[in-house]
C-alpha cells in the first residue's frame, strides 16, 4: 500500500527518480506536505540491517527497478501514467536516453508536471559539466561575498546552491505548475537550476549594488560582518554571541546590554569609517563574560542579540522546544515539517523505507 498522509498536497502523486542532494530534498518536502511520493531506486540500494538511513528519504514508498530492463521500464511507465509529478536530478539528456524524458512522460501522461533539478540548467556552455554547490555559487557572485575581509571566501555549507537555490525553487516551480494545470489541464516542464535560484536568493544584494550601498569586497558591508552591529563575537568561554541590531531602537538596546549607551566616545552607528573601531570595542566587551551570561543579559530584550548554539544544543533551546521544530525520527534528530497550516495539517513524517514495494500494488484506484 502507498503511504497515506494528510497535508495540503494530499492526493498528489509524485514519482521521484533516485538521486542525491536537492532533488530528494524537494521530494521530501512534497512528501512532508502530504504528497504520495514513490522513489524509483536501482536494486540493492535500500539500507542494510543496522545501517542508519538517509533522512532526506523520509515519507517515501520505494520501488526497485532496472530502468534499462524492458519489464522494469514498463512498470515505471505505468506508474508515471498515474502520477501528477515526475522529478529527476540527473545531467541533461540522461532521462531522455532512458526513455523517461519530458516528451516520453508527456506521451503517456500529458497532465504530469516534470520537474528537473540541475546545477547549471538544461542549456548553456556548462550544462553537461560536473559540479557541486560550491561551483554553482562561485559563478553567481555569492561565494565571493561570504567571508571576512582580507580572507578567503567561506563555503556556506551547501545551502545557497543545493537547497536554497535548488530544491526550494524546484518545489515552488512544481506547485506553481500544478496550480496552472487547474486552468489549462496540462502539465509542463520545470527547469530548476541552482545558478538561477541562487541569484534570486541574492536579489536584495543585487539591488544594494545597484544603489551603490554594497561593495564587491568581503567583510565591509552591512550584512557580511562589516558592520559591528551585525556580527558574531567570541565570549570568555570560547563560545559566541550573534548580534543583529540594525535598527536604531535595537542598536540602543544592544548598547544598554553591553554598557555603552551613554558613552560619548562611541562613534555614530552608521559611521562606516569607524566600524572597525566600534567592532574592536564590542569584541573586547563580549570577551568579559561567558556566552550564557550574555544570553541571560539579553533575554527578553529587543537587542537582536542571541547565543550561537551548537547542533547538539539546539533541540534543548526553550523556543525550539516550544515550537517543536526539531523532532526525533528513526533515532535521528531532524527538522519537523514546515511551513505550518491551519486546516490541512501535515502528518508527522514517516521514516525512510527499508523494504521495497511492488509497483503493481500502487495507485490502483
Amino acid at each position: 500500500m502507498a503511504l497515506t498522509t494528510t497535508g495540503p498536497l494530499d492526493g498528489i502523486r509524485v514519482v521521484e527518480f533516485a538521486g542525491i542532494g536537492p532533488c530528494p530534498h524537494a521530494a521530501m518536502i512534497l512528501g512532508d506536505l502530504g504528497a504520495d511520493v514513490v522513489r524509483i531506486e536501482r536494486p540493492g540500494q535500500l539500507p542494510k540491517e543496522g545501517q542508519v538511513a538517509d533522512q532526506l528519504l523520509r515519507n517515501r514508498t520505494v520501488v526497485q527497478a532496472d530502468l534499462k530492463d524492458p519489464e522494469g521500464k514498463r512498470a515505471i511507465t505505468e506508474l508515471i501514467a498515474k502520477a501528477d509529478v515526475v522529478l529527476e536530478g540527473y545531467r541533461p539528456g540522461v532521462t531522455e536516453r532512458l526513455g523517461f524524458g519530458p516528451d516520453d512522460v508527456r506521451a503517456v501522461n500529458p497532465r504530469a508536471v516534470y520537474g528537473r533539478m540541475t546545477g547549471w540548467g538544461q542549456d548553456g556552455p556548462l550544462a553537461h559539466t560536473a559540479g557541486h554547490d560550491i561551483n554553482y555559487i562561485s559563478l553567481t557572485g555569492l561565494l565571493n561575498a561570504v567571508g571576512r575581509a582580507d580572507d578567503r571566501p567561506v563555503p556556506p555549507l551547501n545551502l545557497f546552491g543545493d537547497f536554497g537555490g535548488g530544491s526550494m525553487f524546484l518545489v515552488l516551480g512544481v506547485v506553481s505548475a500544478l496550480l496552472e494545470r487547474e486552468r489549462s489541464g496540462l502539465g509542463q516542464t520545470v527547469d530548476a537550476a541552482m545558478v538561477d535560484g541562487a541569484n534570486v536568493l541574492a536579489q536584495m544584494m543585487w539591488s544594494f549594488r545597484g544603489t551603490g550601498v554594497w561593495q564587491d569586497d568581503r567583510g565591509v558591508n552591512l550584512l557580511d560582518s562589516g558592520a559591528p552591529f551585525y556580527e558574531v563575537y567570541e565570549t570568555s568561554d570560547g563560545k559566541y554571541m550573534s548580534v543583529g541590531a540594525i535598527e536604531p531602537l535595537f542598536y540602543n538596546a544592544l548598547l544598554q546590554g553591553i554598557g555603552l549607551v551613554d558613552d560619548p566616545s562611541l562613534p555614530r552607528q552608521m559611521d562606516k569609517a569607524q566600524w572597525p573601531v566600534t567592532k574592536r570595542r564590542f569584541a573586547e566587551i563580549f570577551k568579559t563574560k561567558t556566552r550564557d551570561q550574555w544570553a541571560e543579559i539579553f533575554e527578553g530584550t529587543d537587542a537582536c542579540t542571541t547565543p550561537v548554539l551548537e547542533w547538539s544544543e539546539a533541540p534543548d533551546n526553550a523556543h525550539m522546544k516550544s515550537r517543536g521544530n526539531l523532532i526525533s525520527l528513526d533515532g535521528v534528530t531532524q527538522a519537523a515539517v514546515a511551513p505550518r497550516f491551519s486546516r490541512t495539517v501535515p502528518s508527522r513524517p514517516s521514516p525512510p523505507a527499508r523494504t521495497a514495494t511492488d509497483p503493481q500494488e500502487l495507485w490502483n484506484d
Side-chain angles (χ1 to χ4, degrees), residues 328-349:
S328 179
L329 181 68
D330 211 24
V332 177
T333 300
Q334 57 193 273
V337 176
R340 304 179 187 210
F341 298 85
S342 63
R343 183 168 50 81
T344 55
V345 180
S347 301
R348 178 181 172 84

Side-chain angles (χ1 to χ4, degrees), residues 21-356:
C23 193
H25 188 251
M28 182 200 81
I29 294 170
L30 295 174
D32 282 351
L33 300 184
D36 186 352
V37 182
V38 175
R39 179 175 168 92
I40 312 303
E41 290 270 17
R42 290 175 298 158
Q45 298 303 304
L46 286 167
K48 305 295 189 296
E49 184 70 30
Q51 181 181 2
V52 177
D54 180 357
Q55 296 299 310
L56 283 182
L57 306 185
R58 71 190 192 190
N59 288 332
R60 305 286 212 287
T61 299
V62 171
V63 165
Q64 294 184 321
D66 180 353
L67 299 181
K68 297 180 180 180
D69 176 72
E71 183 60 26
K73 184 174 181 179
R74 181 194 62 76
I76 302 310
T77 300
E78 290 180 357
L79 272 182
I80 287 174
K82 305 171 188 176
D84 298 288
V85 178
V86 176
L87 299 179
E88 61 98 352
Y90 304 141
R91 293 198 204 190
V94 170
T95 53
E96 282 85 348
R97 291 194 294 274
L98 291 170
F100 292 105
D103 291 341
D104 302 301
V105 168
R106 195 167 294 116
V108 298
N109 186 349
R111 287 176 53 82
V113 172
Y114 195 103
R116 316 194 82 167
M117 180 78 263
T118 60
W120 303 117
Q122 296 296 315
D123 52 42
L126 295 175
H128 294 274
T129 305
H132 282 293
D133 179 291
I134 194 171
N135 309 119
Y136 308 135
I137 66 172
S138 73
L139 295 193
T140 66
L142 270 71
L143 180 57
N144 187 67
V146 181
R148 297 191 174 277
D150 303 319
D151 204 349
R152 295 170 295 172
V154 176
L157 305 183
N158 62 332
L159 299 178
F160 285 4
D162 281 352
F163 302 122
S167 60
M168 299 306 293
F169 279 84
L170 178 57
V171 169
L172 174 63
V174 164
V175 174
S176 298
L178 287 172
L179 179 62
E180 191 280 335
R181 188 182 70 173
E182 295 301 304
R183 298 191 294 271
S184 67
L186 296 172
Q188 59 184 301
T189 301
V190 177
D191 173 7
M194 298 175 211
V195 290
D196 300 346
N199 270 329
V200 176
L201 290 180
Q203 177 64 9
M204 186 173 75
M205 284 67 193
W206 286 114
S207 177
F208 284 169
R209 288 188 78 256
T211 56
V213 298
W214 194 276
Q215 301 178 38
D216 280 357
D217 292 338
R218 282 184 302 282
V220 299
N221 298 290
L222 179 67
L223 303 174
D224 66 355
S225 80
F229 48 85
Y230 204 89
E231 178 58 292
V232 174
Y233 292 100
E234 187 175 1
T235 55
S236 65
D237 54 349
K239 298 182 180 180
Y240 300 92
M241 291 292 290
S242 68
V243 174
I246 299 175
E247 293 82 356
L249 181 65
F250 304 155
Y251 185 68
N252 188 66
L254 168 66
L255 296 184
Q256 288 181 340
I258 61 177
L260 291 179
V261 72
D262 295 319
D263 191 325
S265 67
L266 189 69
R268 291 180 294 108
Q269 179 185 3
M270 291 302 176
D271 186 350
K272 193 171 182 179
Q274 296 299 312
W275 278 359
V277 174
T278 303
K279 187 182 290 190
R280 284 194 292 271
R281 291 197 66 183
F282 286 5
E284 291 170 357
I285 293 171
F286 273 103
K287 284 282 284 186
T288 64
K289 291 181 172 61
T290 68
R291 184 197 66 180
D292 292 346
Q293 286 174 326
W294 284 118
E296 186 175 355
I297 288 171
F298 286 108
E299 185 175 4
T301 74
D302 280 340
C304 303
T305 300
T306 53
V308 177
L309 301 182
E310 298 175 2
W311 292 107
S312 58
E313 296 176 297
D316 293 325
N317 175 263
H319 189 77
M320 300 300 107
K321 289 177 71 173
S322 71
R323 295 281 295 173
N325 62 8
L326 288 169
I327 60 174
S328 179
L329 181 68
D330 211 24
V332 177
T333 300
Q334 57 193 273
V337 176
R340 304 179 187 210
F341 298 85
S342 63
R343 183 168 50 81
T344 55
V345 180
S347 301
R348 178 181 172 84
S350 61
R354 292 184 175 273
T355 58

